[in-house]
Amino acid sequence: MCGIVGYIGKNEATPILMEGLEKLEYRGYDSAGVAVIVDDKIKIKKCKGRLKNLEKKLEKEKLPGNIGIGHTRWATHGEPSDTNSHPHFNKSGTLAVVHNGIIENYIYIKEWLESLGYEFQSDTDTEVIAHLLDYNYDGDLIEAVSKSIDKIEGSYALGVISEIEPDKLVAIRKDSPLIVGLGEGENFIASDIPAILNHTRKIYMLEDRELVILSKDGVEIKTLEGMPVEKEVYNITWDAESAEKGGYEHFMIKEIYEQPKAIRDTMNSRIMKDSDDIVIDDINLTAEDLKNINRVFIVACGTAYHAGMVGKYVIEKLARIPVEVDIASEFRYRNPLIDENTLLIIISQSGETADTLSALRLAKKKNCRVIAVTNVVGSSASREADDVLYTWAGPEIAVASTKAYTTQLISMYILALYFARLNGEMEVEEYRLIRDEMLELPDKVNKLLEDKEELQKFANNNFGHMDMFYIGRGLDGAVSLEGALKLKEISYIHAEAYAAGELKHGPIALIDEDIPVIALATQNELLDKMISNIKEVVTRGAKVISFTLEGNTDVGKVSDQVIYMPKTISILTPVLSVIPLQLLSYYVAVHRGCDVDKPKNLAKSVTVE
Ligand code: AGP
């Protein structure tokens, strides 16, 4: 989605804006621009394409000022073009604005402004904000922003500057993320933390409709009614390095290799070797609360949804509570049967996915208790849910989610164990067995990360295919969906995941020597069935690479290639089996010369419907 950076302070704004926009590239964009106040005049440079195009414009004409706003645009209204890129400005050029989100009533506002004589340059929804600010400006920028916001419906994160008041930068958000960075003699706004991490670790997380006034010496936050707002300062512990590639060729492979640490960190202080307690600080669900819960819904999108599918299995198996899993964009429109006896778990790495947040808000309206499983501290999901279980994966920059997924799985296990212990479904001996196996996972993942030759061989031999099948049963079926998504989104190969038992009901008609099959066979109680399914596709000419646990040599005998994974208990195998699938997708995509970290058409966080 769009990225916003704003700066006011003792240093030149332009280099800081450009550096911040670069750190936000992962959000996906198709144009970029900056506005800087130079000698009390707003100067704007903006253009279609990557940041390097903007850099070329800035080399021709530098913008030496100390206050500015920058933007990377992921088009929603109006095609990618120089004119449609941000910042947008009023006719006299005295005001400039950058925006992330969608103004849902922009057509109505545009027609009204045109009836007043305003002329529009672009096809965007955002430009209405620039002219609305102009209309409402009467010598007080803060007032103009407040009045304009009252007219706007939809989602927004805004940064606004005025050459008439060059000593302030005004910002506000609703439904789109925006943070404030607190410096010494300088202050910042940004869509996400990595954009300003080289300059400050102290940030404010903004709530919806909080008005922020930045000067070089301070930050003031008010409600739209003008009441002062006290904010907690978050100290960011990530180092700048951890938001960079750390010596890896791509963020994705770096994040794949960060999984042992991310998994360990997510378990840390929650499940411990020498304790039978499960400690989840931000969850206040009591045994009494759980008694009143007769159904759990897990709602998410994409990879997070796949983690939810595993969550269903483990919560039902361990806590014996019925669980439904749904895609957020479906859940929110199907008038789901939820009420105060329903527990909604939303899973979202970014905590800003529009459909997932809408599902959360729908559930709150129906008096459901909501737990958010998210990777971003202070994200909208974390602040709007009743309880939060943070995945401690650290910043996930690559569009294709990897460490967020495995830490979401860990979160599902932790919640399932927590519920099972709370409602008495699990004796302490069973808990200790699962806990000890979980604590072994980081080392087992490490072992898998070292075992990549077979995967590279498969990638070398198969990267030219345009179709692949992923098959599995039970939990392996859920992980197959995630494996197929990884391959699709970074290598652009059409990969389909199918319940292995379903192949004979149609899809096997597609199988031949041109369609490699990736078979997951980790569920020992289903092994014989899986071996039969592998034989079915081999008989029809498919080349099969299978993933199974050490010792299951019968699977290897019927497959062209086999990856043996360290043994663990059945319900924990998804944390292991997804690792080679992530690596496989990565190697295939690299072979195909794809943009692994920023795949075409995709954004890291889908903050619009
Ligand atoms: C996964 O690799 C994709 N990037 C995408 O499916 C992602 O999982 C989905 O958009 C949900 O994002 P969230 O976890 O931030 O809500």
Side-chain angles (χ1 to χ4, degrees):
M1 299 329 294
C2 303
I4 288 175
V5 185
Y7 177 81
I8 182 167
K10 60 195 177 190
N11 293 315
E12 291 249 318
T14 303
I16 292 171
L17 297 176
M18 291 302 286
E19 176 199 25
L21 293 179
E22 198 180 306
K23 296 284 190 285
L24 296 178
E25 280 192 292
Y26 72 85
R27 298 165 67 84
Y29 72 103
D30 45 54
S31 58
V34 294
V36 177
I37 298 179
V38 182
D39 301 329
D40 287 345
K41 281 288 175 205
I42 286 182
K43 298 278 188 187
I44 293 178
K45 294 290 179 198
K46 62 180 190 172
C47 57
K48 180 181 174 183
R50 311 303 283 180
L51 281 175
K52 60 178 182 300
N53 298 355
L54 181 58
E55 278 160 5
K56 286 189 188 123
K57 287 199 165 195
L58 290 165
E59 281 159 14
K60 288 194 185 113
E61 181 190 358
K62 300 222 176 295
L63 302 183
N66 301 93
I67 169 174
I69 48 180
H71 187 267
T72 48
R73 178 176 184 246
W74 191 66
T76 53
H77 294 69
E79 62 168 6
S81 69
D82 292 359
T83 311
N84 287 338
S85 51
H86 301 203
H88 288 283
F89 47 90
N90 62 338
K91 187 174 181 181
S92 58
T94 56
L95 292 159
V97 61
V98 290
H99 166 231
N100 175 20
I102 289 183
I103 306 301
E104 293 179 355
N105 62 338
Y106 85 97
I107 291 174
Y108 161 77
I109 298 173
K110 184 169 182 175
E111 287 170 354
W112 172 65
L113 288 167
E114 284 173 330
S115 71
L116 298 177
Y118 282 90
E119 294 165 5
F120 283 76
Q121 313 299 320
S122 77
D123 307 321
T124 67
D125 54 334
T126 301
E127 192 182 349
V128 301
I129 303 172
H131 299 306
L132 204 49
L133 288 166
D134 183 274
Y135 174 79
N136 287 313
Y137 188 76
D138 185 17
D140 183 336
L141 183 60
I142 299 166
E143 182 76 15
V145 173
S146 293
K147 285 180 181 171
S148 304
I149 288 301
D150 282 345
K151 279 263 191 313
I152 287 170
E153 290 167 18
S155 58
Y156 50 82
L158 299 179
V160 182
I161 57 174
S162 157
E163 65 186 36
I164 302 165
E165 299 179 54
D167 61 342
K168 64 172 68 76
L169 191 165
V170 180
I172 189 166
R173 61 148 293 183
K174 174 180 168 293
D175 297 344
S176 291
L178 194 68
I179 59 162
V180 175
L182 307 168
E184 300 293 327
E186 58 187 8
N187 291 296
F188 311 76
I189 59 167
S191 299
D192 198 358
I193 292 164
I196 55 173
L197 204 53
N198 283 346
H199 303 280
T200 180
R201 302 172 182 285
K202 296 183 184 308
I203 62 166
Y204 287 148
M205 295 290 184
L206 290 183
E207 301 287 347
D208 280 356
R209 298 166 68 82
E210 287 179 340
L211 203 57
V212 188
I213 302 100
L214 279 76
S215 67
K216 69 180 177 52
D217 299 318
V219 176
E220 199 185 342
I221 298 181
K222 297 178 175 177
T223 64
L224 282 171
E225 294 70 35
M227 300 302 291
V229 175
E230 286 303 311
K231 297 296 282 185
E232 179 187 357
V233 177
Y234 281 88
N235 281 301
I236 298 304
T237 54
W238 306 340
D239 53 51
E241 191 62 26
S242 68
E244 295 302 327
K245 291 180 192 166
Y248 288 91
E249 186 182 357
H250 299 103
F251 279 114
M252 184 177 177
I253 192 68
K254 170 175 174 275
E255 288 152 10
I256 288 173
Y257 275 80
E258 285 176 338
Q259 290 181 108
K261 179 181 182 304
I263 291 165
R264 190 174 291 111
D265 289 350
T266 301
M267 292 191 290
N268 261 351
S269 77
R270 288 160 172 169
I271 58 171
M272 292 138 290
K273 184 79 185 145
D274 306 322
S275 162
D276 295 334
D277 296 336
I278 302 170
V279 180
I280 315 180
D281 290 343
D282 303 311
I283 289 191
N284 309 302
L285 194 82
T286 64
E288 197 52 36
D289 297 329
L290 196 57
K291 271 200 192 117
N292 299 322
I293 298 294
N294 56 28
R295 179 172 299 280
V296 171
F297 270 77
I298 302 176
V299 176
C301 301
T303 286
Y305 166 70
H306 298 153
M309 294 180 77
V310 172
K312 167 187 168 64
Y313 275 103
V314 292
I315 292 172
E316 287 190 340
K317 185 174 177 67
L318 301 183
R320 313 306 298 156
I321 304 170
V323 180
E324 277 197 47
V325 191
D326 212 344
I327 292 170
S329 54
E330 292 296 313
F331 174 84
R332 61 184 290 202
Y333 292 115
R334 68 179 175 88
N335 194 17
L337 297 172
I338 56 176
D339 58 25
E340 63 279 0
N341 298 117
T342 310
L343 172 65
L344 178 81
I345 300 173
I346 63 152
I347 305 174
S348 176
Q349 187 284 133
S350 62
E352 301 297 347
T353 298
D355 286 320
T356 308
L357 291 177
S358 297
L360 180 159
R361 291 161 189 158
L362 170 64
K364 298 280 287 179
K365 279 196 192 119
K366 297 203 172 192
N367 300 316
C368 295
R369 186 175 189 125
V370 180
I371 294 178
V373 175
T374 184
N375 192 42
V376 178
V377 174
S379 60
S380 301
S382 68
R383 283 178 290 112
E384 296 182 33
D386 300 296
D387 305 283
V388 184
L389 175 49
Y390 283 116
T391 52
W392 297 117
E396 185 176 74
I397 307 299
V399 165
S401 191
T402 51
K403 60 178 183 174
Y405 174 74
T406 43
T407 52
Q408 286 161 357
L409 295 182
I410 295 297
S411 303
M412 293 296 106
Y413 297 131
I414 290 172
L415 282 175
L417 291 167
Y418 182 72
F419 295 156
R421 297 286 289 135
L422 214 50
N423 68 8
E425 283 292 339
M426 181 177 285
E427 296 304 324
V428 70
E429 291 72 22
E430 186 187 0
Y431 167 68
R432 287 172 182 163
L433 185 143
I434 296 172
R435 174 202 64 197
D436 293 350
E437 280 292 332
M438 283 179 71
L439 294 172
E440 295 289 315
L441 287 173
D443 290 341
K444 292 180 176 178
V445 169
N446 249 330
K447 187 171 181 303
L448 277 168
L449 290 170
E450 288 153 16
D451 183 11
K452 53 196 176 191
E453 286 66 34
E454 276 298 308
L455 297 167
Q456 287 167 327
K457 182 177 147 197
F458 179 87
N460 295 344
N461 297 336
N462 294 285
F463 70 91
H465 288 284
M466 282 316 292
D467 298 284
M468 288 199 198
F469 254 77
Y470 287 69
I471 61 172
R473 286 173 174 259
L475 282 172
D476 286 336
V479 178
S480 299
L481 280 166
E482 175 56 15
L485 176 62
K486 289 282 93 58
L487 190 70
K488 271 191 277 253
E489 63 178 333
I490 64 171
S491 72
Y492 315 140
I493 290 175
H494 174 245
E496 185 158 0
Y498 233 91
E502 270 295 284
L503 284 176
K504 53 188 170 298
H505 298 286
I508 202 161
L510 292 171
I511 299 295
D512 62 24
E513 62 283 354
D514 288 335
I515 298 202
V517 173
I518 291 91
L520 268 63
T522 70
Q523 303 298 294
N524 285 335
E525 63 276 18
L526 296 167
L527 214 49
D528 292 345
K529 301 288 181 201
M530 267 312 290
I531 288 172
S532 305
N533 295 141
I534 293 170
K535 285 178 180 170
E536 280 168 14
V537 295
V538 167
T539 310
R540 278 127 185 117
K543 292 285 176 290
V544 178
I545 180 169
S546 294
F547 299 83
T548 189
L549 300 184
E550 285 162 356
N552 292 343
T553 51
D554 289 348
V555 174
K557 285 174 190 156
V558 297
S559 309
D560 296 277
Q561 286 182 264
V562 60
I563 301 284
Y564 289 105
M565 300 182 287
K567 282 185 178 172
T568 186
I569 53 177
S570 268
I571 59 164
L572 299 181
T573 58
V575 178
L576 300 180
S577 56
V578 76
I579 302 297
L581 301 187
Q582 295 167 345
L583 288 170
L584 188 68
S585 306
Y586 175 76
Y587 294 134
V588 170
V590 168
H591 259 299
R592 293 167 67 93
C594 297
D595 186 346
V596 170
D597 286 337
K598 296 192 285 291
K600 65 183 165 89
N601 305 341
L602 296 184
K604 180 60 184 172
S605 177
V606 185
T607 55
V608 293
E609 280 194 58

mmCIF file of all heavy atoms in Angstrom, residues 301-304 347-351 353 356 399-401 408 485-486 489 603-606, ligand 1:
data_model
loop_
_atom_site.group_PDB
_atom_site.id
_atom_site.type_symbol
_atom_site.label_atom_id
_atom_site.label_comp_id
_atom_site.label_asym_id
_atom_site.label_seq_id
_atom_site.Cartn_x
_atom_site.Cartn_y
_atom_site.Cartn_z
ATOM 1 N N CYS A 301 -6.692 -13.356 6.212
ATOM 2 C CA CYS A 301 -6.515 -13.358 4.760
ATOM 3 C C CYS A 301 -5.211 -14.060 4.415
ATOM 4 O O CYS A 301 -4.285 -14.065 5.208
ATOM 5 C CB CYS A 301 -6.454 -11.931 4.220
ATOM 6 S SG CYS A 301 -7.915 -10.962 4.567
ATOM 7 N N GLY A 302 -5.147 -14.617 3.222
ATOM 8 C CA GLY A 302 -3.896 -15.139 2.672
ATOM 9 C C GLY A 302 -3.184 -16.121 3.588
ATOM 10 O O GLY A 302 -3.786 -17.041 4.149
ATOM 11 N N THR A 303 -1.914 -15.879 3.761
ATOM 12 C CA THR A 303 -1.091 -16.769 4.597
ATOM 13 C C THR A 303 -1.636 -16.863 6.007
ATOM 14 O O THR A 303 -1.661 -17.927 6.624
ATOM 15 C CB THR A 303 0.347 -16.254 4.603
ATOM 16 O OG1 THR A 303 0.930 -16.557 3.334
ATOM 17 C CG2 THR A 303 1.170 -16.876 5.700
ATOM 18 N N ALA A 304 -2.106 -15.727 6.527
ATOM 19 C CA ALA A 304 -2.654 -15.713 7.897
ATOM 20 C C ALA A 304 -3.863 -16.642 7.970
ATOM 21 O O ALA A 304 -4.070 -17.337 8.970
ATOM 22 C CB ALA A 304 -3.024 -14.290 8.288
ATOM 23 N N ILE A 347 -6.124 -13.058 12.684
ATOM 24 C CA ILE A 347 -4.674 -13.221 12.506
ATOM 25 C C ILE A 347 -4.245 -12.248 11.414
ATOM 26 O O ILE A 347 -4.833 -12.237 10.315
ATOM 27 C CB ILE A 347 -4.315 -14.660 12.078
ATOM 28 C CG1 ILE A 347 -4.890 -15.686 13.069
ATOM 29 C CG2 ILE A 347 -2.786 -14.812 11.985
ATOM 30 C CD1 ILE A 347 -4.702 -17.126 12.627
ATOM 31 N N SER A 348 -3.277 -11.413 11.709
ATOM 32 C CA SER A 348 -2.814 -10.443 10.711
ATOM 33 C C SER A 348 -1.390 -10.001 11.009
ATOM 34 O O SER A 348 -1.150 -9.355 12.031
ATOM 35 C CB SER A 348 -3.732 -9.217 10.686
ATOM 36 O OG SER A 348 -3.224 -8.255 9.783
ATOM 37 N N GLN A 349 -0.471 -10.327 10.152
ATOM 38 C CA GLN A 349 0.922 -9.917 10.350
ATOM 39 C C GLN A 349 0.999 -8.412 10.510
ATOM 40 O O GLN A 349 1.564 -7.954 11.497
ATOM 41 C CB GLN A 349 1.760 -10.364 9.153
ATOM 42 C CG GLN A 349 3.254 -10.162 9.274
ATOM 43 C CD GLN A 349 3.725 -8.708 9.074
ATOM 44 O OE1 GLN A 349 4.512 -8.210 9.861
ATOM 45 N NE2 GLN A 349 3.196 -8.018 8.061
ATOM 46 N N SER A 350 0.400 -7.672 9.593
ATOM 47 C CA SER A 350 0.500 -6.208 9.615
ATOM 48 C C SER A 350 -0.420 -5.581 10.647
ATOM 49 O O SER A 350 -0.215 -4.474 11.108
ATOM 50 C CB SER A 350 0.139 -5.653 8.236
ATOM 51 O OG SER A 350 -1.223 -6.002 7.951
ATOM 52 N N GLY A 351 -1.516 -6.289 10.936
ATOM 53 C CA GLY A 351 -2.518 -5.708 11.826
ATOM 54 C C GLY A 351 -3.277 -4.572 11.172
ATOM 55 O O GLY A 351 -3.962 -3.796 11.847
ATOM 56 N N THR A 353 -4.705 -5.086 7.698
ATOM 57 C CA THR A 353 -5.437 -5.582 6.521
ATOM 58 C C THR A 353 -6.897 -5.177 6.616
ATOM 59 O O THR A 353 -7.577 -5.504 7.604
ATOM 60 C CB THR A 353 -5.286 -7.103 6.415
ATOM 61 O OG1 THR A 353 -3.897 -7.391 6.227
ATOM 62 C CG2 THR A 353 -6.082 -7.681 5.260
ATOM 63 N N THR A 356 -9.636 -7.818 7.262
ATOM 64 C CA THR A 356 -9.514 -8.433 8.591
ATOM 65 C C THR A 356 -9.965 -7.468 9.674
ATOM 66 O O THR A 356 -10.671 -7.842 10.615
ATOM 67 C CB THR A 356 -8.063 -8.884 8.824
ATOM 68 O OG1 THR A 356 -7.646 -9.694 7.708
ATOM 69 C CG2 THR A 356 -7.912 -9.682 10.101
ATOM 70 N N VAL A 399 7.256 -9.308 0.736
ATOM 71 C CA VAL A 399 5.804 -9.405 0.561
ATOM 72 C C VAL A 399 5.330 -10.809 0.905
ATOM 73 O O VAL A 399 4.301 -11.010 1.544
ATOM 74 C CB VAL A 399 5.417 -9.033 -0.878
ATOM 75 C CG1 VAL A 399 4.001 -9.460 -1.199
ATOM 76 C CG2 VAL A 399 5.578 -7.523 -1.095
ATOM 77 N N ALA A 400 6.101 -11.812 0.504
ATOM 78 C CA ALA A 400 5.719 -13.204 0.784
ATOM 79 C C ALA A 400 6.010 -13.507 2.255
ATOM 80 O O ALA A 400 7.137 -13.435 2.712
ATOM 81 C CB ALA A 400 6.492 -14.153 -0.107
ATOM 82 N N SER A 401 4.971 -13.860 2.964
ATOM 83 C CA SER A 401 5.083 -14.050 4.409
ATOM 84 C C SER A 401 5.690 -15.411 4.724
ATOM 85 O O SER A 401 5.268 -16.430 4.196
ATOM 86 C CB SER A 401 3.674 -13.951 5.009
ATOM 87 O OG SER A 401 3.743 -13.873 6.393
ATOM 88 N N GLN A 408 2.788 -17.395 13.603
ATOM 89 C CA GLN A 408 1.331 -17.464 13.771
ATOM 90 C C GLN A 408 0.921 -18.893 14.165
ATOM 91 O O GLN A 408 0.048 -19.101 15.011
ATOM 92 C CB GLN A 408 0.623 -17.037 12.474
ATOM 93 C CG GLN A 408 0.676 -15.536 12.219
ATOM 94 C CD GLN A 408 0.400 -15.156 10.773
ATOM 95 O OE1 GLN A 408 0.203 -16.023 9.897
ATOM 96 N NE2 GLN A 408 0.418 -13.872 10.486
ATOM 97 N N LEU A 485 0.615 -21.132 -2.250
ATOM 98 C CA LEU A 485 0.557 -19.657 -2.306
ATOM 99 C C LEU A 485 1.958 -19.074 -2.439
ATOM 100 O O LEU A 485 2.193 -18.162 -3.230
ATOM 101 C CB LEU A 485 -0.120 -19.099 -1.050
ATOM 102 C CG LEU A 485 -0.154 -17.569 -0.956
ATOM 103 C CD1 LEU A 485 -0.946 -16.963 -2.099
ATOM 104 C CD2 LEU A 485 -0.719 -17.111 0.381
ATOM 105 N N LYS A 486 2.898 -19.584 -1.679
ATOM 106 C CA LYS A 486 4.279 -19.099 -1.769
ATOM 107 C C LYS A 486 4.791 -19.198 -3.199
ATOM 108 O O LYS A 486 5.356 -18.261 -3.747
ATOM 109 C CB LYS A 486 5.194 -19.905 -0.841
ATOM 110 C CG LYS A 486 4.993 -19.652 0.629
ATOM 111 C CD LYS A 486 5.607 -18.374 1.157
ATOM 112 C CE LYS A 486 4.749 -17.160 1.198
ATOM 113 N NZ LYS A 486 3.523 -17.110 1.926
ATOM 114 N N GLU A 489 2.938 -16.686 -5.596
ATOM 115 C CA GLU A 489 3.098 -15.231 -5.457
ATOM 116 C C GLU A 489 4.520 -14.763 -5.751
ATOM 117 O O GLU A 489 4.722 -13.595 -6.035
ATOM 118 C CB GLU A 489 2.639 -14.745 -4.094
ATOM 119 C CG GLU A 489 3.395 -15.257 -2.909
ATOM 120 C CD GLU A 489 2.859 -14.652 -1.604
ATOM 121 O OE1 GLU A 489 2.313 -13.547 -1.620
ATOM 122 O OE2 GLU A 489 2.983 -15.311 -0.569
ATOM 123 N N ALA A 603 1.136 -6.217 -2.688
ATOM 124 C CA ALA A 603 1.565 -5.255 -1.669
ATOM 125 C C ALA A 603 1.733 -6.018 -0.364
ATOM 126 O O ALA A 603 1.090 -7.042 -0.147
ATOM 127 C CB ALA A 603 0.505 -4.168 -1.506
ATOM 128 N N LYS A 604 2.571 -5.514 0.506
ATOM 129 C CA LYS A 604 2.829 -6.216 1.768
ATOM 130 C C LYS A 604 1.624 -6.154 2.682
ATOM 131 O O LYS A 604 1.302 -7.097 3.366
ATOM 132 C CB LYS A 604 4.043 -5.607 2.481
ATOM 133 C CG LYS A 604 4.377 -6.284 3.796
ATOM 134 C CD LYS A 604 4.707 -7.768 3.599
ATOM 135 C CE LYS A 604 4.954 -8.470 4.911
ATOM 136 N NZ LYS A 604 5.093 -9.939 4.716
ATOM 137 N N SER A 605 0.972 -5.008 2.654
ATOM 138 C CA SER A 605 -0.186 -4.896 3.543
ATOM 139 C C SER A 605 -1.348 -4.322 2.747
ATOM 140 O O SER A 605 -1.260 -3.213 2.233
ATOM 141 C CB SER A 605 0.162 -3.973 4.718
ATOM 142 O OG SER A 605 -0.975 -3.819 5.524
ATOM 143 N N VAL A 606 -2.420 -5.110 2.630
ATOM 144 C CA VAL A 606 -3.558 -4.695 1.797
ATOM 145 C C VAL A 606 -4.535 -3.902 2.666
ATOM 146 O O VAL A 606 -5.448 -4.450 3.269
ATOM 147 C CB VAL A 606 -4.245 -5.921 1.167
ATOM 148 C CG1 VAL A 606 -5.350 -5.467 0.200
ATOM 149 C CG2 VAL A 606 -3.226 -6.788 0.442
HETATM 150 C C1 AGP B 1 1.305 -13.898 2.061
HETATM 151 O O1 AGP B 1 2.573 -14.308 1.582
HETATM 152 C C2 AGP B 1 0.793 -12.661 1.369
HETATM 153 N N1 AGP B 1 1.719 -11.609 1.417
HETATM 154 C C3 AGP B 1 -0.610 -12.285 1.816
HETATM 155 O O2 AGP B 1 -1.433 -13.390 1.545
HETATM 156 C C4 AGP B 1 -0.792 -11.912 3.311
HETATM 157 O O3 AGP B 1 -0.627 -13.045 4.113
HETATM 158 C C5 AGP B 1 -2.229 -11.382 3.493
HETATM 159 O O4 AGP B 1 -2.369 -10.221 2.713
HETATM 160 C C6 AGP B 1 -2.584 -11.069 4.943
HETATM 161 O O5 AGP B 1 -1.754 -10.038 5.432
HETATM 162 P P1 AGP B 1 -1.764 -9.754 7.020
HETATM 163 O O6 AGP B 1 -1.258 -10.986 7.687
HETATM 164 O O7 AGP B 1 -0.850 -8.568 7.197
HETATM 165 O O8 AGP B 1 -3.176 -9.449 7.410
#
